[in-house]
Amino acid sequence: MAEQRSAEPAALSREGVEEREEERPGEELELEDESDLPAAPALQRQALLPALRAWVYLCGHGGTPSETTPEAVQWLRGCWERGDDNIPLDLVHDLGLLLLEGRGFAFASARDLGDWSEEERPLRLSYEDRVLGRWMLDPSVNEAHIAIAGLAKDAQQAAVAHALSLALGSRLRGSRLLCPGNPAHLRSLGPEILAMAESLPARFAGWGAREGAEPPDEAWIAWARAQREAALERLDDGRLFSAEDLWELAHIEELPRESTRQALREVHRVVARIGAVNPGSARNLRSKAQEVPVEDKDADSYPAGGFDALSTRGRFENLVRTEVVYVGEGMAETGGIDLFDVRFAEGELLFYTRDDSPLLDQRRELNAVIERPADLRYKHPELPAQTLVLIDALILRLQADSVLVFGPNGSTVTLLWLSESRDDRAAAEEERGLMAITLAAEIAHRRVVLDLVTRRIDLPARGLVVFSSSPAPEDIPARAWVVVGDVCWWVDGERYDMRTPNGQRALTDTLLRLVYT
């Protein structure tokens, strides 16, 4: 296979294309499995410029190719350097510009429809309708465009290249019909590629209108179309970007290391698989949730109902303003004691009182504890992810579900790592850094707190959920003690199969019920 990839590709010259068509009749294309086909030859250095030119000729963006091609080649190079070396330039060019321009993306047919030949028109319109139109209507593409638009200008180009690898690379990887390229050739041919881009016509009608703007050879156009069709065969009709892809793009500036990106990607993939709380379950949980009394000293922090009556008891900040008229009154006759002092001593001063609703706190607490995190960094062979990753995902899902059930200001989540050894503290600090990235907005709004504890006695009693590989002790008043580490996790004698999203969702629902009702 290595010899075949490095050899001069017969399919990348005009004569080679004709020979290949003769050697492989149409019935051979009906093979169901690509593994039955020989691997496509590598795109050699001398073939790169005509291949790029053919790809640009087929692009569906209605801009100026000489301006957009250099940018697209940089994205292509970024994809190839990541190992996604079989992505064709035309798809990179059009999807990359769609990610940058969003709804402002211009279709080539809006400008060049009249310049296309009768043979060319149906092929190009089919590509716009079947591919570009679907991408434009894809909500995930629009969300990716918004995420990239929110980045700094110098980070947007890298983000587009990364987005192209996320959307196309994983789907095209392993295809035996796509010719792989070499990013080193793109680097070494930089000046020639720029010169080629400058020679491109401003619009389709300019192909062949002047010297240097000749259209690509028909064999190269046929090759480029075949490469596109092979790529599109591997793209399904679903969303191009998953939830974890979109989160990654929005936070790409905060992910300096590949290990950090991969770790958080795995956590978010599990969170997405678990899914949000069922609306019916959320309604039942909201109706059965306990009201939590607030300390008197905190009552003025919850001004939900305003003043509703007068009383002779209360705080001085709630004193009726007209009572201050008694300050200094009668002081001369009583030898320094005024009427205000007398009314205070006899309990006759008037105070405004609040209604009772502020004394019932609607902000519920969930305190999630991960005990001995260093011992949980292993993966059971039957589980989809590492034990600690599954725990992190469950906690993120619990926090998101709490917001869905009680609103953005209705709950607080504190994530604690119980670290009794040096290894535990090191693991806890790493996990804390990862969770601080993914929960940055929640932490800023004071809906989430991250902390470390070293003793069980320091654990909070309210809304306590502990994830541990050890059985529950009798001296810890936890609402739920989750015994982890095996295929099935246990809570109060009930087991939950963690191999499937259904089991993970069932465990999440149980924890919500135990904590809040």
Side-chain angles (χ1 to χ4, degrees):
M1 174 139 178
E3 294 178 0
Q4 186 179 16
R5 289 172 65 90
S6 60
E8 179 70 21
L12 301 184
S13 66
R14 181 173 183 175
E15 296 77 14
V17 171
E18 295 170 351
E19 293 172 4
R20 198 173 169 92
E21 291 173 350
E22 294 174 0
E23 294 171 2
R24 297 177 62 187
E27 57 267 19
E28 294 188 13
L29 298 178
E30 297 178 3
L31 291 171
E32 296 181 358
D33 191 349
E34 280 190 19
S35 61
D36 297 333
L37 298 173
L43 191 60
Q44 298 298 315
R45 187 176 188 275
Q46 63 271 23
L48 186 56
L49 283 175
L52 294 176
R53 192 176 178 84
W55 275 325
V56 172
Y57 180 82
L58 296 181
C59 286
H61 181 256
T64 305
S66 60
E67 297 176 357
T68 58
T69 298
E71 191 174 43
V73 170
Q74 291 300 315
W75 300 333
L76 183 70
R77 174 179 161 184
C79 292
W80 285 7
E81 287 176 344
R82 288 183 176 87
D84 301 318
D85 55 2
N86 58 2
I87 302 180
L89 176 64
D90 52 347
L91 297 184
V92 166
H93 178 277
D94 291 341
L95 180 55
L97 289 173
L98 181 56
L99 290 172
L100 278 183
E101 299 176 2
R103 300 296 183 187
F105 181 89
F107 288 93
S109 59
R111 183 190 63 185
D112 299 326
L113 182 62
D115 299 325
W116 294 338
S117 66
E118 293 297 327
E119 297 79 12
E120 191 88 17
R121 186 177 297 120
L123 297 174
R124 290 183 176 271
L125 290 177
S126 174
Y127 171 63
E128 290 189 358
D129 293 340
R130 188 164 56 101
V131 182
L132 298 184
R134 180 165 56 85
W135 286 350
M136 179 168 279
L137 296 176
D138 185 345
S140 70
V141 174
N142 186 53
E143 292 175 31
H145 159 67
I146 294 173
I148 292 173
L151 300 174
K153 288 294 183 182
D154 55 349
Q156 288 184 358
Q157 296 301 318
V160 169
H162 186 63
L164 292 168
S165 284
L166 293 175
L168 303 177
S170 60
R171 293 173 169 88
L172 304 185
R173 202 171 296 136
S175 172
R176 300 174 67 82
L177 298 177
L178 296 173
C179 297
N182 189 335
H185 296 160
L186 288 176
R187 290 194 296 270
S188 64
L189 290 172
E192 291 89 341
I193 293 174
L194 287 177
M196 182 271 292
E198 291 175 357
S199 69
L200 296 173
R203 52 183 299 167
F204 187 82
W207 287 103
R210 60 184 175 83
E211 185 178 355
E214 295 80 7
D217 189 282
E218 289 296 329
W220 277 108
I221 296 175
W223 172 83
R225 278 209 172 95
Q227 290 287 287
R228 174 194 283 175
E229 288 304 315
L232 295 178
E233 284 293 325
R234 297 180 68 93
L235 299 181
D236 52 40
D237 294 333
R239 294 190 172 199
L240 274 184
F241 298 97
S242 63
E244 56 266 29
D245 293 337
L246 296 172
W247 185 92
E248 200 170 296
L249 291 175
H251 297 82
I252 194 167
E253 294 177 298
E254 305 162 25
L255 303 172
R257 297 192 303 273
E258 182 68 12
S259 59
T260 303
R261 186 184 70 81
Q262 292 289 355
L264 287 175
R265 182 174 182 81
E266 188 173 12
V267 172
H268 291 137
R269 184 182 296 116
V270 178
V271 173
R273 290 182 64 204
I274 296 174
V277 61
N278 180 276
S281 301
R283 184 170 57 253
N284 292 335
L285 188 63
R286 195 180 303 113
S287 64
K288 296 178 181 179
Q290 296 179 348
E291 298 281 7
V292 182
V294 181
E295 298 285 341
D296 283 347
K297 61 184 177 61
D298 295 328
D300 60 339
S301 300
Y302 303 88
F307 299 120
D308 68 339
L310 295 177
S311 174
T312 54
R313 292 186 179 184
R315 297 185 176 191
F316 270 100
E317 56 264 33
N318 293 337
L319 183 71
V320 176
R321 292 185 179 182
T322 55
E323 291 291 337
V324 299
V325 301
Y326 297 110
V327 175
E329 287 291 323
M331 186 178 294
E333 292 81 6
T334 58
I337 299 176
D338 58 12
L339 289 179
F340 186 92
D341 296 330
V342 174
R343 288 174 62 81
F344 174 78
E346 294 181 355
E348 295 179 356
L349 291 176
L350 298 177
F351 300 86
Y352 293 115
T353 61
R354 296 188 183 276
D355 57 9
D356 291 338
S357 58
L359 298 181
L360 294 176
D361 183 11
Q362 297 296 325
R363 180 172 289 232
R364 287 133 181 118
E365 289 186 18
L366 167 62
N367 292 295
V369 178
I370 302 176
E371 187 176 47
R372 295 195 296 273
D375 295 342
L376 303 177
R377 283 184 159 178
Y378 66 91
K379 182 184 181 300
H380 192 284
E382 296 185 42
L383 292 182
Q386 192 184 87
T387 300
L388 193 54
V389 169
L390 290 174
I391 295 173
D392 289 343
L394 280 173
I395 293 173
L396 289 177
R397 189 69 263 170
L398 285 169
Q399 192 276 329
D401 287 346
S402 298
V403 173
L404 287 174
V405 174
F406 302 114
N409 297 317
S411 63
T412 57
V413 174
T414 301
L415 176 53
L416 302 168
W417 289 269
L418 181 56
S419 309
E420 300 176 348
S421 67
R422 180 180 300 176
D423 291 342
D424 285 332
R425 286 191 290 273
E429 288 294 347
E430 292 180 13
E431 291 296 312
R432 185 179 184 177
L434 290 175
M435 298 299 274
I437 294 175
T438 191
L439 291 169
E442 305 298 320
I443 294 172
H445 288 90
R446 294 183 289 183
R447 291 192 286 262
V448 172
V449 176
L450 309 179
D451 204 356
L452 276 65
V453 292
T454 57
R455 302 180 303 171
R456 282 184 172 181
I457 196 174
D458 296 328
L459 296 178
R462 188 171 166 184
L464 183 61
V465 177
V466 180
F467 296 88
S468 174
S469 57
S470 304
E474 297 181 357
D475 59 337
I476 302 295
R479 285 296 189 100
W481 189 282
V482 187
V483 180
V484 306
D486 208 341
V487 172
C488 295
W489 294 5
W490 294 81
V491 179
D492 290 346
E494 295 287 335
R495 69 176 187 175
Y496 299 86
D497 190 341
M498 299 301 291
R499 289 173 294 188
T500 65
N502 289 338
Q504 298 159 11
R505 182 65 252 176
L507 175 56
T508 308
D509 289 337
T510 297
L511 295 179
L512 287 170
R513 176 176 54 80
L514 292 175
V515 170
Y516 293 125
T517 61

